[in-house]
């Protein structure tokens, strides 16, 4: 028993209380509120590092477990735990939350108190999602994340914010309620909602596993989003405030891929194996579709949004390769996407704050006006493209490796690999096209001459991103080590079950 | 010959207090001048508190009474009845708290209003305690007639009069249907006592089926289940908002109290005869209520359709009750959660409404957050609870209902419930985004009584949502286990 994880989840609530106490009204305490939020998220980051320090990568099962009965009448527990499948997600959440709060510093000047309250509540929800090991508790956190994000998009978003926020909410809710029925079904057949217990007792619902798999899969596929469930994403990403987009891309989408790894694979191994080719096909459609649609976008933010669909396709392909390389690559690529795309959204936000437009045609030749910003942006773009030496390459390469040897993808898995690899090339096309249009060429729009280069706050945020982008790119083994034993256990479990089933 | 049954007064004490308090109010009114009637609501609330306390002491400690020689008791106060009584009395108390200033503002604060409310409430309580169709009918009339008057209380406003007239005509009609059901039941079984019907009913005859059908339809009118819901929007819109608030919870809870008692005591063994019908009613109700609510631009009408939709979720639990031990508990829990969410929402509606009927359009809520952030947040909590989003009471209620449906192997019905819940989120969220995401002039000046009630209800919604365990246990003990199956199943 350890309350460390509970502290990690609920620490931001203290920040919320402090914000409510600090408020003097009329916007007088806005700066104080910003600092409270930032400090709270920084302390949460420190706590997550303490969790990392207490975490033993050699253990494959759950660690730092905090488990007490919650609703005994139904066998529901308050049950937190961490293992190799979630440790990176938890760290990513803590990191992205700090970034998102810092990135909003000057962009958000109305309703500051409410904004940072929702930001911190968002962090509570996301942490809870990655740490909950009881399906009921997980569902509560999962749905709870909708509420702050709904307000973040709807109040501080762009011109179409109300439409985007409600679409985001309803889309996600529709998927998750079917998951709720699946959860209830398993809870009733097994008398428990605890994930490890359900995995141990999965024989009880093995007959229904294909339909249960779909109940979960639709919820997660909408979140990821897997083609064809993606239509909420461009709206939400484009309309959200910069920090909202960073959180959406950085963490929220990963809740979907994490859900597949944490729940679908171990709870329904046979169904996962049976559906793997279909999901891999959807993933590849997503990779190529996302890339093709990104290319003609005039709005930089929309381009980045569509590129997410493409990148998340890789993650899905990796996960449903159902082997160690694929799943590890998938998880790591989730982190990479959070870093690269988060940074891309941030750079778009920095420009937007000054120019109030994101149209590519308004820009060009920025390198001459703001060279430092342009260099930083180039690294971020290259990382998103998957240039060797930066983080994106490591993830994509591992995924392609995994899919190449995937038994789940039939006798010719290399066909999947080949199509997916074409996505890497397409990514280079649209990202370099964007970079060329915005940063290269003549500085022909006089409005851009007045742009200022990065200030100290923005530089720190950029550097924070770049540290990890380069670190993962050069020395990824430490990251793989963190998840190695848990993923191996998962893969062995699946292959053992599927072998028996055959 | 006829021998008067012995009466155990303790068993019916909560009912006696509420009904008697109404009479008391009537007498006090005679001796107080018309200008000084601000005492009336507070006196009524004191009476309800007394009834609440007595009710709570009856938990695990009830009994039966009005037992004629050689017959079964007319009144049963088991945990089921106690749970419902507490729910109903709480609904009464909160309805009064949120009504006081509104009624003063509208010059409707006559003592009659409060005594009618008490009489109606006593009828509602009797619905859950009655163990005999005749008594259920008496309770039904006792609850309905004061409600007809309350709907028309804002006379000579045309809308209010229209509301009362519609409610009365359709209410009388549905009572007629119900009585016909009683007659058929008597014809089929030779008795009106629920436990004896249990022994006598034969659903292979047209008479038996007809009896169940007419009883069901009669109560379906009362709980506003589609396709017997037509009166609801007009009545809800025209009646004084405080009366609407009260009947939207009270009448519904009472209708389901009787319905569940009837199906679980008299017809539990012939589930095949009614589960399908209830499931279809539930489906229709969910679809009609939730889809029609989307199209509304007046919040009272929207809440009217929303209350129809909620009847649909409770009907899911009723349908499940034949084959799941959790059906009755789920319905009870759902109604308990609904009480706070719905009365809370109505509290805000009441506070927003101006004297001249302005302030009930959805657009009037624009920008409420800027001026009255606390009230807007409260409304958001109530809306999210009605939509069934965690961590609110409404979510746990839906969860319980869906669980019962899955247990009873009515998974298709749970799927219908899930899909319509998503539809419902659309119109509940609209209120939220109008308040939070639009600029506007909306403002609330909440008086202390209403403000207190709202704070308590918000806390209740969140508390039940986060820690539902205690309430689950209570609902379970009040459910099938708490309902004495006197005939022995």
């Amino acid at each position: 028993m350890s309350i460390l994880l509970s502290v990690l989840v609920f620490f931001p609530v203290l920040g919320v209380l402090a914000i409510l106490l600090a408020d003097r009204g009329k916007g007088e305490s806005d700066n104080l509120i910003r600092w409270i939020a930032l400090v709270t998220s920084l302390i949460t980051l420190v706590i997550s590092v303490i969790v990392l320090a207490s975490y033993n990568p050699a253990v494959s099962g759950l660690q730092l477990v905090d488990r007490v009965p919650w609703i005994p009448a139904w066998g529901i527990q308050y049950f937190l735990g961490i293992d190799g499948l979630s440790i990176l997600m938890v760290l990513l959440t803590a990191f992205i939350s700090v970034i998102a709060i810092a990135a909003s510093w000057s962009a958000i000047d109305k309703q500051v108190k409410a904004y940072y309250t929702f930001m911190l509540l968002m962090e509570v929800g996301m942490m809870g999602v990655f740490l909950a090991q009881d399906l009921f508790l997980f569902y509560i956190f999962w749905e709870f994340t909708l509420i702050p994000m709904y307000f973040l998009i709807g109040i501080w978003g762009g011109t179409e914010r109300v439409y985007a926020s409600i679409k985001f909410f309803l889309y996600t809710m529709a998927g998750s309620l079917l998951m709720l029925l699946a959860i209830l079904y398993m809870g009733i057949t097994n008398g428990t909602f605890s994930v490890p217990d359900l995995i141990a007792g999965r024989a009880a619902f093995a007959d229904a596993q294909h339909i249960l798999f779909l109940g979960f899969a639709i919820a997660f596929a909408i979140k990821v989003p897997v083609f064809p469930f993606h239509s909420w994403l461009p709206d939400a990403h484009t309309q959200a405030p910069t920090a909202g987009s960073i959180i959406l891309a950085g963490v929220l989408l990963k809740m979907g891929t994490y859900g597949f790894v944490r729940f679908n694979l171990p709870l329904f191994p046979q169904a996962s194996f049976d559906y793997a080719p279909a999901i891999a096909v959807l993933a590849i459609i997503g990779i190529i579709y996302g890339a093709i649609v990104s290319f003609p976008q005039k709005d930089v933010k929309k381009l980045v949004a569509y590129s997410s669909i493409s990148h998340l396709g890789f993650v899905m392909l990796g996960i449903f390769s159902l082997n160690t390389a694929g799943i590890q690559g998938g998880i790591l690529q989730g982190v990479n996407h959070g870093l690269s795309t988060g940074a891309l959204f941030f750079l778009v936000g920095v420009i937007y704050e000054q120019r109030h437009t994101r149209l590519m045609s308004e820009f060009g030749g920025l390198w001459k006006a703001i060279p430092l910003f342009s260099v930083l942006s180039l690294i971020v773009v290259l990382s998103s493209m998957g240039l060797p030496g930066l983080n994106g390459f490591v993830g994509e390469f591992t995924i392609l490796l995994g899919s190449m040897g995937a038994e789940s993808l039939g006798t010719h898995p290399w066909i999947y690999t080949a199509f997916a690899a074409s996505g890497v090339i397409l990514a280079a096309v649209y990202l370099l096209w964007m970079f060329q249009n915005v940063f290269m060429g003549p500085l022909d729009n006089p409005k851009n001459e007045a742009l200022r280069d990065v200030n100290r706050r923005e530089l720190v945020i950029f550097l924070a991103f770049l540290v990890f982008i380069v670190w993962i790119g050069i020395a990824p083994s430490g990251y793989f080590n963190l998840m190695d034993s848990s993923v191996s256990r998962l893969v062995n479990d699946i292959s053992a079950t599927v072998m028996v089933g055959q | 010959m006829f021998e008067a049954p012995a009466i155990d007064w303790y068993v019916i004490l909560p009912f006696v207090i509420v009904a008697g308090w109404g009479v008391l109010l009537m007498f006090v009114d005679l001796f107080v001048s018309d200008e000084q009637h601000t005492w009336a609501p507070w006196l009524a609330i004191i009476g309800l508190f007394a009834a609440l306390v007595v009710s709570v002491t009856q938990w695990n400690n009830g009994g039966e009474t009005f037992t004629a020689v050689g017959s079964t008791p007319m009144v049963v106060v088991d945990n089921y009845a106690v749970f419902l009584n507490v729910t109903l009395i709480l609904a009464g108390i909160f309805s009064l708290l949120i009504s006081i200033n509104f009624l003063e503002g509208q010059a409707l604060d006559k003592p009659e209003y409060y005594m009618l409310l008490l009489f109606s409430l006593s009828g509602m309580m009797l619905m859950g305690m009655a163990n005999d169709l005749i008594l259920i009918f008496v309770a039904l009339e006792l609850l309905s007639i004061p409600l007809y008057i309350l709907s028309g209380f804002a006379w000579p406003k045309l809308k209010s009069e229209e509301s009362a007239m519609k409610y009365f005509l359709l209410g009388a009609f549905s009572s007629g249907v119900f009585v016909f059901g009683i007659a058929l039941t008597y014809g089929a079984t030779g008795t009106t006592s629920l436990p004896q019907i249990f022994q006598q009913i034969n659903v292979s005859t047209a008479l038996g089926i007809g009896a169940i059908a007419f009883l069901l339809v009669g109560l379906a009118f009362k709980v506003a289940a589609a396709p017997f819901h037509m009166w609801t929007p007009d009545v809800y819109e025209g009646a004084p908002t405080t009366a609407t608030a009260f009947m939207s919870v009270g009448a519904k809870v009472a209708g389901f109290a009787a319905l569940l008692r009837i199906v679980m005591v008299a017809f539990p063994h012939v589930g095949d005869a009614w589960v399908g019908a209830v499931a279809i009613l539930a489906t229709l109700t969910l679809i009609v209520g939730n889809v029609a609510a989307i199209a509304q631009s007046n919040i009272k009408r929207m809440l009217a359709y929303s209350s129809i939709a909620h009847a649909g979720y409770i009907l899911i639990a009723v349908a499940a009750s034949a084959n799941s031990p959790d059906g009755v508990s789920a319905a009870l829990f759902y109604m308990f959660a609904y009480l706070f969410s719905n009365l809370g929402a109505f509290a805000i509606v009441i506070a927003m409404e101006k004297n001249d009927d302005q302030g009930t359009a959805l657009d009037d809520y624009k920008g409420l957050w800027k001026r009255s952030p606390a009230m807007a947040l409260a409304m958001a909590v109530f809306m999210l609870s009605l939509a069934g989003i965690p961590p609110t009471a409404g979510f746990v209620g839906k969860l319980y209902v869906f669980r019962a449906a899955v247990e009873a192997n009515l998974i298709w019905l749970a799927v219908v419930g899930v899909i319509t819940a998503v539809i419902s989120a659309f119109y509940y969220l609209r209120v939220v985004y109008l308040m939070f995401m639009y600029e506007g002039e909306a403002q609330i000046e909440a008086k202390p009584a209403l403000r207190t009630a709202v704070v308590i209800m918000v806390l209740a919604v969140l508390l039940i949502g986060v820690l539902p365990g205690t309430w689950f246990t209570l609902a379970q003990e009040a459910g099938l286990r708490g309902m004495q199956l006197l005939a022995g199943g």
Side-chain angles (χ1 to χ4, degrees), chain B residues 11 21 97:
Chain B
V11 170
W21 216 273
L97 280 176

Side-chain angles (χ1 to χ4, degrees), chain B residues 85-104:
Chain B
N85 282 348
V86 170
T87 308
L88 287 164
I89 295 170
L90 284 175
I93 291 174
F94 283 110
S95 302
L96 285 171
L97 280 176
I98 61 180
S99 304
I100 297 170
N101 301 105
F102 174 86
L103 293 169
E104 277 172 16

Side-chain angles (χ1 to χ4, degrees), chain A residues 233-291:
Chain A
L233 180 133
D235 291 307
H237 273 62
T238 317
Q239 296 305 321
T242 300
S245 308
I246 294 176
I247 290 184
L248 269 171
V251 184
L252 246 61
L253 308 188
K254 309 306 141 37
M255 285 169 35
T257 54
Y258 167 79
F260 277 109
V261 179
R262 165 73 67 201
F263 303 111
N264 283 61
L265 301 194
L267 284 170
F268 322 113
Q270 184 65 47
S272 303
F273 189 82
D274 295 344
Y275 285 130
I279 293 177
V281 167
L282 288 180
I284 284 169
I285 295 176
I287 292 174
I288 295 173
Y289 168 87

Side-chain angles (χ1 to χ4, degrees), chain A residues 70-71 111 136 143 154 161, chain B residues 370 390 399 418 429 437 466 472:
Chain A
W70 180 20
I71 309 172
Q111 309 292 349
F136 185 84
E143 284 280 275
R161 59 183 193 278
Chain B
K370 294 278 165 57
L399 186 76
V418 159
L429 285 180
M437 299 169 195
V466 176
F472 277 166

Side-chain angles (χ1 to χ4, degrees), chain A residues 70-74 76 110-111 114 118 136 139-140 143-144 146-147 150-151 154-156 161-162 165-166 169-170 173-174 177-178 180-181 184-185 187-188 193, chain B residues 369-370 380 384 387-391 395 399-400 402-403 406-407 411 414-415 418 421-422 425-426 429-430 432-433 436-438 465-469 472-473 476:
Chain A
W70 180 20
I71 309 172
W74 285 21
I76 293 171
K110 64 167 188 173
Q111 309 292 349
F118 285 130
F136 185 84
Y139 186 83
I140 301 262
E143 284 280 275
F144 178 73
L146 287 184
I147 301 171
Y150 168 71
F151 284 109
I155 298 178
W156 294 275
R161 59 183 193 278
V162 175
S165 65
I166 197 130
F169 197 109
L170 291 181
M173 187 183 169
L177 277 169
L178 291 172
L180 180 65
L181 289 186
L184 278 175
Y185 183 87
I188 291 169
F193 290 86
Chain B
W369 181 45
K370 294 278 165 57
L384 291 175
I389 315 277
F395 164 70
L399 186 76
Y400 208 158
F402 294 152
R403 180 194 163 102
V406 173
E407 268 179 353
I411 294 176
V415 172
V418 159
V422 179
F426 178 77
L429 285 180
R430 183 165 51 194
V432 177
Y433 70 65
F436 283 81
M437 299 169 195
Y438 279 91
V466 176
L467 295 171
F472 277 166
T473 315
Q476 244 161 21

